[in-house]
Amino acid sequence: MALHFSSAHPISALHPLLCFFLHDTYPEMEYASGLQRQLASMKKNLFDQGYLDEQFYQLEELQDESSPNFVEEVVTLFFRDSSRLVANIDQALQKYPQDFRRLDNFMHQLKGSASSIGAAKMKNECTSFREFCNKENREGCLRSFQKVKKEHAVLKQKLENYFQLLKQVGPVDKATHSGN
Amino acid sequence: MNERMDPAPTSCGQATASSSTGRPDAAAAATGMPTEFPAGLRVLLVDDDATCLKIIEMMLRKCHYDVTTCSCAATALSMLRERKGWFDLVLSDVYMPDMDGFKLLEHIGLEMDLPVIMMSADDHKDVVMKGVTHGAVDYLIKPVRIEPLKNIWQHVVRKKQFELKELEHSGSLEENERESERHKRAMEEGDNATSGCGENLKNIKRKKEGKEEDEQDVDDQADPSQTKKPRVVWSSELHQQFVTAVNQLGIDKAVPKKILELMKVAGLTRENVASHLQKYRLYLRRLSVPQHHDRHDGPFTSAQEATFRSVGTVDGFDLQALAVSGQLLPQNLTALSSGSRRVTNTGLRMPVFDQMGFLNSGNASSTRSASVQQMNRGLSYFSGFSNSIESRQLGQSHQLVEPYGNVCLQVGEEISGLLNIPSPQATRSSLPGGISNEQVNRSLIMHMSQQGQQFSLSQQQENFHGQPLPRGQIFNGIGGHDSTKFGHQMSPNAISSHISGRTANIAQTPLPGNHINASYSSVPQALYANNIHDSCLTESAASHYPLASSIGDTPATGNVEALSNTSSLKGVTDLSNCNIYSELHQNKTQDWKLETVNISYQSGQNLAPKQNNADFGSSLVAHQDSIATVQDESSRNTCTVRKEILSVTTEIEHEKIECVAQCNSTILVENSIRLKAESMPDINQQEVLYDNIISNDLMDVGKQIPANGKGQGWSGTTPIHLDMDHSS
C-alpha cells in the first residue's frame, strides 16, 4: 500500500522504515500513527497554550469501553449549554440598568461548567468578569465578556477539530489493535 | 427500606473495621473490583448544570456507587421523600435556580436525616462555612475530582455509627461527649480523606467541627441532663410500670427517684422519669379540670420544657394519658398528629384532619367519634408507616396520637381522652425532633391559649402539655390541647394546616405528590415547617419559617411553621406539621376546606406569616445554633426545640396578637383536610417517619401497618427508638 503520509510528519523520517515493516501488514497503522501523532500534538498544544487544564485528563480517565465517547459527549453538552448561557448574558448586558446580581449568577454557572471540563482560559475570563461584576463596573464587564465569548468560540473550534481527528484515529486504532 | 439499608449497615460494620486500616474498600472499588461496601452506595446527585451532572455521575459510577441524578432540587426532594430510606447520601450543588442548595440541605437534614455533601465552584470561606453550619457533612469545590468522591462513603458510615450509638446509650452527658469526640475525630479523618478539596476546606471543616462541637456543648450545657440523650420511648409497658409505681407510692409522694427504684428498668434515668412524671401530672390535672385549659398553660409551659427534654416521654406520656383518660379518641390523636407535620406526609393525616374537622363541628362526641374513626383510619395508614410500630405499642388509639398526639393533645384533653393513647410510646416521639416539636407545640399552644386568643389550642395546650407530642406532632398540639375544643377549631386548623401541607405544619415540606414523603420527616415538625417552605414544592409564599429554625420556633407557634410551610405544600398533605400555627399563617392555602376551623385559631396562626417569620426569625436567631444542631442530630433537635419553645412561645404570643382572626386558617384547615384525603393513600408507604410519631397514635387505629415505616423514614439512619421500643 502506498504511503499516505505527508512529509509534514515530525517523524516522517521514520515512516519509510515503518512502512517497510508494516505497510503490507498494517497499512492502517501507519496512517493511524500519523494521525495519532497529529492528534497528540494538537492535544499538547491545547494544554500548553492553556486552553485546557488537568480536569480534562480527569474526563479522559472516565472514558472506558462502556462509554467510549464520554469526553466528546460531555464537551458537546457543555457547548450546547454554555452557548445558551452566553447568549443570555449577552442579552442581560444589553439591559439597563445593569442587574449585576443576575449577571454574576450566570457567570458563576458558566464558570462552573467550564471548570468541569477543564476549559482553563475560559474559566479565567469568567473569573475576571465576576470581579468586574462585583465592582459593578459595567464597562469592565462588557470588555471582559467579549473575552469570555472569544475564548468560548476558540475553544469550541479547537475541540471540534480535536474530536474530529480523534474519530479518524479511533477506528483505525481499534483495527490495528485487533491485529488486523 | 430498612431491609435495603441493612446491607449497608452491616457492611458498614465490616467496613468500619477495614476503614480504620485505610480505605481498602475504596481502593478495591477503584481497582474495579466491587466489594460489598462502599460499592452500591446509593447516591442522589443534584445539580442543575447538565455538564457537571454528567461528569460527576460518571465519576460516581466509577466508584461503583449507585447513582441517581436530578437536575432539579424539587424533584430531588420528592424523590427522597418517595423513596425514603432508599438513598444513603446526597450530593448537591449549592447554586440552583429553583431552590437554594442550603435550603435543600436543611430539608433533607430535617426530613430524611441523610448525609449531604455540597458542591460548588464557589470556594469562598463564608459559603463553605454556610454549608457546614447548615449541616453538610462535606463541601467539595468544583471542578470535582474523582478522588474525594471515592471517600464519600465515610460520611454514611459515620452517620450510621453516630446514630446507632445515640440510640443505644441512655444518654449520659459523658456519652454525648464521647460521641462528639468520636464524631469530631471522624470528621477530622474525613477531612483528611477529602484533602483533595484543599487546605482551606480542611480548615473550614475543622472550624465546622469545632463549631459543631461547640453547638453540642452548648446544648449540653443548656440541658445537661438532656443533651444527646437517647430518647426514651415510653412504651405502654413502660408507662404501665410507671403508673403502677406512682400509684404504689401515691401520686403525692411519687418522686422520680422512688419511682425509678420501683420500676427497676435498666437504662432509665431519673431525669427520664422526672419528665415523664411531670407530664403525667399535667395530664392528670388536665383530666380533672378539662375545662380549664388555660390554666394549664402556665404550668404547662414549664412542664413543657421539662418534658421536652425527654423526648420520648413527653410524647408517649401524653398519649398515654390520653389513652388512659379514654377521652381522647385514638382517632383524634391521630388527627392531631396528622396535624403535625408528620402526619401530613402520610395520607393518614388527611383522615385525621377530616376527623378533626368533625370534631370541630361542635359535636364533640359525635364528631369525635367520627373523627376518631377517621383518625383511626388515618392511623391505620400511619401505622403502616412507622406508626404501626408505635401503634403496636400504644395499643390503641393513641398510636396516632403520638404524632398527632401532639396536636391532639393540644386539642384538648378531650382528644387525649379519645385517643387513649395507650402507650406513651407513641409519644415517644420516636422522632427526636418530633418530640421536641410536640413540646414546643404544646408550649406554644399554651402560650397561645394564654393569650386568650380563641385558639382552641390554647385550651388544648393545657391538655396538651401533658402529652408529648410526637415529634413535630406538636403542630397538632395546637389542636390537641383542648380536647373539648378539639371538636372545633383546633383540629381543623391543625389538621388542615398539616395536611394541606401548608407550610405551617409540615415541617416536612409536603411534596406535591407525595404527602407521605413530606411527612416522613415527622421528626421535628417544627423543623419541617421550615423545610416545607423550602421544599420546592411550592411554597406558597406563606412566610415559611425556616424549618431548621422552626423547630424551635414552630413549636411555639407550632404552627407557625406549618403556616409557612403550608404554602409550600401545594397540595401536599404534608401539613402534618404540627405547626398548626404556621399553617395559620399560611392563609394562603385557600383550599382549606375546613370551615369549622376556628377563626380564632387561625388568627393566632394567621399571624401574618411574614410577621411570624420575622418574629421567629428573630427569636430563632438566638437559637440558630440549636437549630443547626437539630439538623444534625435528631436528638439535638429535641434539645433545640426546647430552647426554642421558650422563644417561640413568646413569638407566638406576639403573633397571636398580631394575627387577626383570619379566615385563612380556615382555609388552611380545609386544605389540610383535603390534602389529607388525598394523601391518605400515599401515606401508607411513606410515612415512615410518621411511624415514629404517629405510631403511638395510630397504634390503635391502624393496624400495625407494616413496620416498614419504622425505620424507613430515615434513610435507614433514623434513630428510631421506636423500633427499639415498640416492637414489643
Side-chain angles (χ1 to χ4, degrees):
Chain A
M1 137 174 155
L3 280 174
H4 300 291
F5 298 110
S6 69
S7 51
H9 274 284
I11 52 174
S12 50
L14 293 173
H15 287 177
L17 198 59
L18 281 171
C19 291
F20 177 79
F21 284 117
L22 307 168
H23 84 276
D24 280 335
T25 337
Y26 303 113
E28 297 83 5
M29 192 192 254
E30 261 179 14
Y31 181 68
S33 69
L35 283 179
Q36 275 173 332
R37 262 180 261 290
Q38 203 176 346
L39 189 71
S41 78
M42 187 188 273
K43 191 173 169 190
K44 188 170 183 292
N45 280 342
L46 282 170
F47 279 92
D48 287 347
Q49 289 166 14
Y51 287 102
L52 293 179
D53 64 20
E54 231 233 359
Q55 185 66 16
F56 195 79
Y57 286 132
Q58 289 266 316
L59 296 190
E60 289 188 323
E61 273 168 36
L62 292 175
Q63 190 162 286
D64 58 15
E65 296 83 27
S66 60
S67 39
N69 302 314
F70 178 71
V71 186
E72 191 186 354
E73 284 165 11
V74 171
V75 171
T76 308
L77 190 59
F78 166 72
F79 281 111
R80 186 196 74 186
D81 286 345
S82 61
S83 300
R84 190 171 23 94
L85 201 51
V86 164
N88 286 346
I89 298 175
D90 230 339
Q91 238 182 353
L93 276 171
Q94 308 295 331
K95 294 209 176 92
Y96 207 87
Q98 206 56 262
D99 185 349
F100 288 104
R101 184 122 186 83
R102 193 153 165 265
L103 279 177
D104 188 64
N105 285 345
F106 278 141
M107 199 45 86
H108 173 87
Q109 226 178 311
L110 189 62
K111 182 185 167 190
S113 299
S115 63
S116 304
I117 69 154
K121 274 198 175 178
M122 217 183 129
K123 182 177 80 170
N124 293 339
E125 293 302 338
C126 288
T127 306
S128 74
F129 179 95
R130 288 186 85 200
E131 279 168 18
F132 283 119
C133 227
N134 285 341
K135 298 195 187 102
E136 301 206 350
N137 179 345
R138 195 193 150 92
E139 277 311 307
C141 283
L142 287 169
R143 270 182 289 125
S144 183
F145 184 63
Q146 293 311 309
K147 291 205 190 125
V148 170
K149 272 205 287 190
K150 180 180 143 247
E151 291 301 335
H152 181 255
V154 166
L155 184 67
K156 187 161 187 244
Q157 188 58 60
K158 283 190 185 280
L159 284 177
E160 269 173 11
N161 294 347
Y162 175 80
F163 284 114
Q164 226 169 8
L165 190 56
L166 190 63
K167 268 201 201 54
Q168 284 178 284
V169 174
V172 182
D173 254 337
K174 289 200 185 84
T176 54
H177 284 317
S178 65
N180 275 352
Chain B
M1 302 256 228
N2 280 338
E3 309 81 57
R4 201 193 60 74
M5 295 304 297
D6 286 332
T10 50
S11 49
C12 273
Q14 300 155 15
T16 35
S18 56
S19 58
S20 57
T21 62
R23 278 180 287 277
D25 285 336
T31 58
M33 288 188 306
T35 57
E36 184 62 33
F37 182 87
L41 195 73
R42 291 180 191 72
V43 182
L44 176 67
L45 177 61
V46 189
D47 196 335
D48 61 311
D49 182 4
T51 311
C52 292
L53 196 70
K54 193 179 167 80
I55 295 172
I56 299 173
E57 181 195 358
M58 181 57 87
M59 284 180 175
L60 290 169
R61 287 199 199 284
K62 283 275 181 190
C63 298
H64 303 280
Y65 295 145
D66 185 329
V67 189
T68 308
T69 60
C70 217
S71 51
C72 166
T75 319
L77 253 178
S78 66
M79 227 192 272
L80 284 167
R81 293 198 180 119
E82 263 177 69
R83 306 199 263 171
K84 274 219 156 167
W86 171 258
F87 293 106
D88 296 314
L89 186 76
V90 179
L91 232 72
S92 171
D93 190 28
V94 170
Y95 297 103
M96 291 189 285
D98 67 327
M99 186 197 284
D100 182 22
F102 294 119
K103 283 265 179 272
L104 177 67
L105 167 61
E106 282 177 16
H107 279 294
I108 297 176
L110 285 172
E111 293 182 37
M112 294 113 205
D113 198 27
L114 279 173
V116 181
I117 296 177
M118 305 301 291
M119 302 180 291
S120 180
D122 196 344
D123 59 351
H124 291 124
K125 223 182 272 191
D126 45 353
V127 182
V128 180
M129 177 63 79
K130 203 174 170 194
V132 170
T133 55
H134 278 70
V137 297
D138 207 345
Y139 192 107
L140 305 178
I141 308 288
K142 288 184 180 174
V144 181
R145 297 171 59 89
I146 197 169
E147 286 82 14
L149 291 179
K150 287 188 182 150
N151 300 320
I152 60 176
W153 56 265
Q154 61 173 290
H155 300 294
V156 177
V157 174
R158 191 176 300 123
K159 203 173 183 77
K160 288 205 169 85
Q161 277 195 323
F162 191 76
E163 282 167 0
L164 281 173
K165 212 167 169 20
E166 206 182 75
L167 285 173
E168 285 162 12
H169 302 280
S170 54
S172 62
L173 194 53
E174 197 185 293
E175 185 91 42
N176 293 333
E177 285 169 350
R178 264 187 278 129
E179 203 55 59
S180 339
E181 277 181 27
R182 225 164 33 91
H183 194 242
K184 191 173 193 172
R185 258 182 282 116
M187 292 289 291
E188 286 168 355
E189 284 165 28
D191 279 346
N192 295 334
T194 55
S195 57
C197 301
E199 197 57 43
N200 268 354
L201 200 50
K202 266 198 221 174
N203 293 338
I204 290 164
K205 265 180 104 163
R206 298 228 185 281
K207 252 197 280 175
K208 168 177 86 161
E209 289 173 7
K211 191 176 197 293
E212 279 182 9
E213 292 299 332
D214 291 342
E215 289 173 353
Q216 290 174 359
D217 292 338
V218 167
D219 284 347
D220 288 343
Q221 284 150 22
D223 286 301
S225 59
Q226 298 303 335
T227 40
K228 314 238 190 59
K229 256 201 255 200
R231 273 176 286 286
V232 172
V233 177
W234 283 85
S235 64
S236 41
E237 298 92 63
L238 200 63
H239 181 70
Q240 259 325 114
Q241 278 181 274
F242 171 83
V243 174
T244 313
V246 169
N247 291 337
Q248 238 180 290
L249 293 166
I251 189 68
D252 294 330
K253 295 216 185 68
V255 283
K257 192 152 183 237
K258 295 217 177 96
I259 298 173
L260 186 65
E261 283 168 16
L262 275 175
M263 284 177 73
K264 296 195 193 49
V265 172
L268 201 63
T269 68
R270 200 203 72 83
E271 287 85 13
N272 295 141
V273 176
S275 57
H276 194 76
L277 178 66
Q278 202 162 20
K279 290 188 227 156
Y280 186 62
R281 285 219 175 97
L282 288 168
Y283 164 74
L284 292 178
R285 195 173 338 158
R286 238 203 327 276
L287 291 182
S288 60
V289 254
Q291 300 310 319
H292 305 284
H293 302 290
D294 297 318
R295 282 202 300 245
H296 294 291
D297 289 344
F300 179 63
T301 320
S302 49
Q304 281 297 350
E305 311 209 20
T307 51
F308 281 138
R309 294 192 311 186
S310 40
V311 175
T313 54
V314 172
D315 293 337
F317 181 79
D318 290 332
L319 292 176
Q320 282 267 352
L322 290 176
V324 174
S325 61
Q327 295 166 23
L328 188 52
L329 294 176
Q331 293 143 8
N332 291 343
L333 286 177
T334 341
L336 291 173
S337 318
S338 45
S340 43
R341 283 187 287 228
R342 292 195 286 186
V343 179
T344 50
N345 292 333
T346 53
L348 289 178
R349 288 195 288 238
M350 295 288 278
V352 174
F353 286 105
D354 291 323
Q355 296 179 3
M356 299 286 283
F358 285 141
L359 292 175
N360 291 336
S361 49
N363 287 332
S365 47
S366 54
T367 47
R368 220 179 316 153
S369 34
S371 54
V372 170
Q373 284 164 16
Q374 288 183 353
M375 283 185 12
N376 287 329
R377 264 186 276 119
L379 288 173
S380 26
Y381 278 120
F382 281 109
S383 27
F385 312 117
S386 44
N387 291 320
S388 50
I389 301 178
E390 303 240 354
S391 50
R392 278 199 301 249
Q393 301 178 358
L394 290 179
Q396 336 198 359
S397 42
H398 54 224
Q399 294 156 7
L400 284 180
V401 177
E402 174 92 72
Y404 298 104
N406 299 327
V407 174
C408 300
L409 293 179
Q410 299 173 347
V411 175
E413 306 176 44
E414 192 177 292
I415 303 196
S416 39
L418 293 175
L419 293 179
N420 289 320
I421 310 190
S423 45
Q425 291 173 351
T427 50
R428 248 190 316 205
S429 58
S430 41
L431 302 175
I435 306 231
S436 333
N437 294 327
E438 292 180 348
Q439 301 184 346
V440 176
N441 288 333
R442 282 191 292 201
S443 54
L444 290 176
I445 303 184
M446 300 260 308
H447 283 274
M448 303 287 285
S449 48
Q450 293 178 353
Q451 298 294 328
Q453 298 208 1
Q454 298 219 345
F455 288 84
S456 44
L457 291 178
S458 47
Q459 301 181 347
Q460 316 213 330
Q461 296 202 344
E462 312 239 326
N463 299 325
F464 200 62
H465 45 258
Q467 318 169 0
L469 289 173
R471 298 200 269 194
Q473 294 296 335
I474 306 241
F475 329 122
N476 297 315
I478 305 187
H481 291 300
D482 295 337
S483 48
T484 51
K485 289 241 176 152
F486 188 102
H488 3 270
Q489 335 162 11
M490 288 304 300
S491 344
N493 292 331
I495 306 190
S496 47
S497 43
H498 300 308
I499 306 214
S500 52
R502 277 326 242 179
T503 55
N505 295 329
I506 313 190
Q508 322 194 349
T509 46
L511 291 177
N514 305 308
H515 318 293
I516 307 194
N517 293 329
S519 44
Y520 286 118
S521 28
S522 52
V523 176
Q525 299 290 340
L527 291 174
Y528 294 120
N530 295 328
N531 291 329
I532 307 224
H533 315 289
D534 296 323
S535 50
C536 17
L537 300 186
T538 54
E539 310 342 321
S540 22
S543 42
H544 304 284
Y545 298 97
L547 286 177
S549 48
S550 52
I551 304 209
D553 304 326
T554 45
T557 45
N559 308 315
V560 175
E561 291 183 343
L563 294 176
S564 45
N565 292 328
T566 51
S567 46
S568 47
L569 295 177
K570 284 211 202 156
V572 180
T573 51
D574 280 347
L575 301 183
S576 56
N577 295 328
C578 295
N579 304 311
I580 302 198
Y581 294 107
S582 38
E583 294 217 347
L584 291 180
H585 289 294
Q586 297 304 332
N587 300 324
K588 295 183 178 210
T589 50
Q590 308 297 320
D591 320 324
W592 300 96
K593 299 189 290 209
L594 294 178
E595 306 280 0
T596 56
V597 178
N598 292 326
I599 304 270
S600 57
Y601 174 74
Q602 300 180 346
S603 44
Q605 314 242 338
N606 287 328
L607 297 178
K610 298 201 188 114
Q611 283 178 330
N612 291 328
N613 290 329
D615 293 339
F616 283 105
S618 47
S619 58
L620 291 177
V621 171
H623 305 276
Q624 279 307 324
D625 286 350
S626 50
I627 297 183
T629 52
V630 171
Q631 290 172 349
D632 295 338
E633 297 162 11
S634 51
S635 59
R636 276 198 273 188
N637 291 336
T638 324
C639 302
T640 316
V641 175
R642 280 182 273 164
K643 296 191 219 168
E644 294 300 344
I645 300 181
L646 292 180
S647 57
V648 177
T649 49
T650 46
E651 284 300 338
I652 301 188
E653 297 184 353
H654 173 58
E655 292 181 351
K656 287 197 286 190
I657 295 171
E658 295 173 341
C659 277
V660 184
Q662 298 175 24
C663 304
N664 295 334
S665 46
T666 326
I667 299 180
L668 292 177
V669 174
E670 292 181 343
N671 282 339
S672 52
I673 298 200
R674 206 160 34 80
L675 292 173
K676 286 189 296 187
E678 296 163 5
S679 55
M680 282 297 293
D682 300 332
I683 302 192
N684 287 331
Q685 295 129 27
Q686 320 211 1
E687 292 301 17
V688 176
L689 290 182
Y690 278 112
D691 286 347
N692 296 331
I693 308 180
I694 305 188
S695 50
N696 292 329
D697 302 323
L698 298 177
M699 302 255 312
D700 260 340
V701 182
K703 317 337 195 124
Q704 313 287 327
I705 301 189
N708 9 320
K710 225 183 7 169
Q712 293 178 1
W714 307 96
S715 50
T717 56
T718 7
I720 316 260
H721 28 254
L722 288 181
D723 295 336
M724 303 195 303
D725 296 321
H726 42 245
S727 352
S728 50

